[in-house]
Amino acid sequence: MHAPEAILNRLLVEKNLPSEASDFSKRLVSGVLQNKQEVDSIIQYFAPAFPLEQIAVIDRNILRLAIFEILFDNNAPVKVAINEAVELAKNYGGDASSKLVNGVLGAIVANHTKHERLRQEDKRYNIKGTSQAKD
């Protein structure tokens, strides 16, 4: 197994990317690695029919990157992050990869949006605890 950061650094040297693209790549990889356990728990929660170890490696890593980008990084519009992840799945995954990625990310975003709306209502009406409810 190769260390992800070492592979990224080698690829960045080989590809000679602009500094903005290089910084973005480093931020995503570092963020996924730092939050991997939580991101993997999110995948397991929203894809219970697919044990994490049975999801193809490329699909699993596409999901990790997109989930980090959507829920932790918040620098890209959600639709852009989902579209990029689905395109990666179409290009590099198997026949059903794009459907899996789109379905899992769609469920995560729908749930996240609902909880954000509840949090905003909590603040507006000065209510405590509503956003803690589980679906």
Side-chain angles (χ1 to χ4, degrees):
M1 181 176 284
H2 303 283
E5 290 155 329
I7 294 169
L8 176 62
N9 288 330
R10 179 180 53 81
L11 289 172
L12 292 175
V13 168
E14 288 176 10
K15 300 297 181 187
N16 196 24
L17 295 176
S19 63
E20 186 176 300
S22 176
D23 292 345
F24 173 73
S25 300
K26 288 177 184 178
R27 188 176 71 241
L28 283 184
V29 170
S30 175
V32 168
L33 293 173
Q34 289 173 7
N35 296 284
K36 186 173 173 254
Q37 187 173 3
E38 187 173 355
V39 170
D40 284 354
S41 294
I42 292 168
I43 294 170
Q44 290 175 325
Y45 181 83
F46 287 98
F50 302 96
L52 197 61
E53 63 278 356
Q54 291 181 9
I55 296 174
V57 173
I58 189 69
D59 299 345
R60 191 168 55 228
N61 286 313
I62 290 169
L63 284 168
R64 286 174 175 154
L65 288 167
I67 291 167
F68 173 76
E69 199 169 7
I70 293 166
L71 297 180
F72 296 83
D73 193 45
N74 299 314
N75 283 323
V78 171
K79 287 184 180 182
V80 171
I82 291 174
N83 287 340
E84 289 175 353
V86 169
E87 285 303 312
L88 286 170
K90 285 179 183 176
N91 290 326
Y92 299 104
D95 292 339
S97 294
S98 62
K99 290 177 184 171
L100 172 70
V101 167
N102 191 49
V104 172
L105 295 178
I108 290 169
V109 169
N111 187 66
H112 180 67
T113 302
K114 177 181 176 183
H115 285 280
E116 283 301 309
R117 191 171 54 249
L118 289 172
R119 270 194 275 278
Q120 291 304 316
E121 288 175 13
D122 287 354
K123 288 178 186 176
R124 187 174 336 133
Y125 299 113
N126 202 18
I127 300 170
K128 294 183 180 180
T130 305
S131 62
Q132 301 297 321
K134 295 235 181 201
D135 290 325

